Amino acid sequence: QVELVESGGGLVQAGGSTRLACAASQRTSGSFGLGWYRQAPGKEREFVAAISRLGINTYYADSVKGRFTVSKVNANNTVYLQMNSLKPEDAAVYYCAAGSSGPSVQAGNVVYWGRGTQVTVSS
């Protein structure tokens, strides 16, 4: 139903910032909650952030709260993850995710996944 394509990522210095974007194949019109997961080598995939169907409410993992910001623009066709004050432990493959609501995405009830984009943080 929905294709999610991530862009951005790459190498960034610890303490620096970068921004990820995820473009949906169709306008959601508030049909899906969107968010981000990440997976580091040898680790389980973990929730990072999510945003509600209308882009009003946001949800964050404690590990990124205050440093990362999730937002939606372009009539909710694109979701962004602004990543500030990056730490080496933030290095991972970041995946865009869609579900029935923002809380559903946070809870792991993901229906659609992007292919992922690598974020590397140098110390």
Side-chain angles (χ1 to χ4, degrees):
Q1 294 288 322
V2 177
E3 182 181 4
L4 305 174
V5 181
E6 299 98 334
S7 61
L11 177 64
V12 61
Q13 186 177 346
S17 299
T18 193
R19 187 181 71 168
L20 307 181
C22 172
S25 59
Q26 302 288 334
R27 290 194 174 196
T28 65
S29 299
S31 297
F32 296 97
L34 297 169
W36 297 89
Y37 277 69
R38 67 186 182 187
Q39 188 167 21
K43 304 296 182 181
E44 297 292 329
R45 190 172 298 189
E46 65 176 354
F47 169 76
V48 176
I51 191 164
S52 62
R53 288 172 288 184
L54 297 180
I56 298 173
N57 302 119
T58 56
Y59 312 87
Y60 297 96
D62 288 341
S63 59
V64 306
K65 193 173 299 181
R67 300 188 299 119
F68 292 8
T69 302
V70 62
S71 62
K72 296 173 69 177
V73 295
N74 297 331
N76 293 334
N77 271 105
T78 303
V79 60
Y80 294 93
L81 185 67
Q82 178 66 44
M83 307 165 65
N84 298 329
S85 301
L86 282 163
K87 305 174 180 179
E89 52 262 42
D90 294 319
V93 176
Y94 282 73
Y95 297 91
C96 187
S100 61
S101 68
S104 291
V105 171
Q106 182 183 32
N109 297 319
V110 176
V111 179
Y112 301 103
W113 293 98
R115 69 177 182 176
T117 185
Q118 177 73 51
V119 175
T120 303
V121 182
S122 63
S123 60

